[in-house]
């Protein structure tokens, strides 16, 4: 009988002859190690966006609310990640899927006006060459 070794940690494998890994931990370690770099990049951005969206939704239970920027900074909100921009005359909304915020300042305190995405925000013809932050 041939001795087989875990493809992840190289420990000797016992049991079924078609086994390639000790356990699910070793299996996922191996697959993560062999994932192409772009997949890791995409997954990091996606999980950051999802997390941002969850935070926005949490602080905006009824469609619209205002939260101090510091609160979201404390919770590691990633301001550089967003899925849509919605610029209008008073500023720019930064959306993560269906929730977004407008950066505002009240009495010197930086805040986020969080909103749920509205239908009219969908059909924007956005021109990156004519847009200034
Ligand atoms: Zn192993």
């Amino acid at each position: 009988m041939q001795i087989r070794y875990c493809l992840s940690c190289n420990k000797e494998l016992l049991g079924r002859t078609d086994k390639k890994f000790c356990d699910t931990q070793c299996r996922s370690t191996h697959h993560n190690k062999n994932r192409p770099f772009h997949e890791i990049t995409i997954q990091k951005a996606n999980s950051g966006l999802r997390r941002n969206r969850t935070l926005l939704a949490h602080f905006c239970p009824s469609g619209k609310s205002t939260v101090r920027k510091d609160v979201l900074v404390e919770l590691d909100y990633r301001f550089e990640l967003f899925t849509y921009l919605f610029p209008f005359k008073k500023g720019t909304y930064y959306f993560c899927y269906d929730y977004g915020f407008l950066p505002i300042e009240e009495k010197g305190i930086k805040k986020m006006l969080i909103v749920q995405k509205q239908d009219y925000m969908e059909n924007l013809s956005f021109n990156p060459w004519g847009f200034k932050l």
Side-chain angles (χ1 to χ4, degrees):
M1 195 178 117
Q2 201 188 341
I3 298 168
R4 288 161 307 106
Y5 300 91
C6 173
L7 294 178
S8 180
C9 71
N10 289 317
K11 271 200 287 190
E12 195 180 325
L13 288 172
L14 306 165
R16 290 196 343 246
T17 56
D18 59 341
K19 254 174 110 173
K20 291 178 185 161
F21 304 97
C22 310
D23 49 28
T24 52
Q25 175 88 52
C26 278
R27 179 187 300 279
S28 79
T29 302
H30 178 79
H31 288 304
N32 284 338
K33 233 175 9 202
N34 289 286
R35 240 167 2 138
F37 182 72
H38 73 271
E39 287 297 340
I40 295 165
T41 308
I42 290 167
Q43 203 223 312
K44 274 186 187 166
N46 286 348
S47 63
L49 285 166
R50 178 178 286 276
R51 193 168 178 284
N52 278 0
R53 190 260 171 210
T54 301
L55 288 170
L56 292 176
H58 173 79
F59 286 104
C60 186
S62 54
K64 191 174 178 179
S65 68
T66 305
V67 181
R68 292 170 66 117
K69 177 194 170 197
D70 294 348
V71 174
L72 277 288
V73 169
E74 199 64 35
L75 293 165
D76 294 322
Y77 188 91
R78 292 181 61 191
F79 291 96
E80 78 281 17
L81 292 177
F82 45 87
T83 54
Y84 305 97
L85 292 175
F86 184 76
F88 69 118
K89 59 183 184 298
K90 289 181 184 168
T92 299
Y93 280 102
Y94 296 84
F95 281 92
C96 291
Y97 308 106
D98 54 337
Y99 283 89
F101 74 94
L102 177 69
I104 57 171
E105 204 163 320
E106 285 175 349
K107 295 174 182 160
I109 298 167
K110 289 186 170 66
K111 295 180 179 177
M112 299 161 73
L113 175 65
I114 302 173
V115 297
Q116 253 183 309
K117 197 168 185 181
Q118 305 296 309
D119 287 344
Y120 76 89
M121 295 169 163
E122 285 288 344
N123 299 316
L124 174 73
S125 73
F126 181 67
N127 176 10
W129 289 267
F131 173 73
K132 287 189 176 68
L133 280 175

